[in-house]
Structures are given as C-alpha cells and as structure tokens.
C-alpha cells in the first residue's frame, strides 16, 4: 500500500524517502523500518513522517507503527 506520508517506524520496502517536514532525503536498500528524520525536533517536525519518492512504500502487513 503506497501512501503519501509514511509515519516514522513504519516497515517499508527499499526506496527513497523525503522528510515530510524538512525535506531531508533518505534511501534504504533493504526492507526496514523508517527511522526518525536525523534533524527531528518535535517543534519543527509535527508530521513525523516521510514522503515516498521511489519504492513500494509502506508494508501492508504493518501499515502503522505503534497501533496508529
């Protein structure tokens, strides 16, 4: 399931992602959970999510971390 904003901690496929708050780019080469943005600050990162640039995005078996 591909979503526009994928929350931190979501299990995702390999691909490229961009922080929904500050634009920092992140790429992962294997299936993994998305980390928080390296520049994360609660005051400046209210969305706490990544935009999907390439890849399949969020894993259907774990669409939201922490029961969101």
């Amino acid at each position: 399931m591909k979503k526009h904003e994928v929350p931190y901690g979501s299990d995702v496929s390999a691909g490229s992602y961009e922080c929904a708050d500050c634009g920092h780019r992140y790429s992962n080469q294997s299936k993994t959970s998305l980390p928080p943005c390296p520049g994360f600050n609660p005051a400046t990162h209210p969305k706490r999510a990544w935009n999907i640039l390439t890849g399949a995005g969020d894993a259907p078996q774990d669409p939201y971390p922490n029961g969101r």
Side-chain angles (χ1 to χ4, degrees):
M1 176 182 334
K2 191 169 182 178
K3 299 177 185 158
H4 180 64
E5 292 179 357
V6 180
Y8 297 164
S10 294
D11 289 342
V12 294
S13 66
S16 299
Y17 301 84
E18 179 179 71
C19 178
D21 292 299
C22 73
H24 176 84
R25 295 213 173 181
Y26 168 77
S27 293
N28 68 336
Q29 300 304 315
S30 61
K31 292 186 180 184
T32 185
S33 294
L34 283 172
C37 177
F40 175 73
N41 177 322
T44 60
H45 287 70
K47 294 180 182 178
R48 300 176 187 211
W50 295 94
N51 291 324
I52 301 164
L53 301 177
T54 65
D58 212 2
Q61 65 274 21
D62 185 26
Y64 295 102
N66 306 320
R68 281 187 181 180

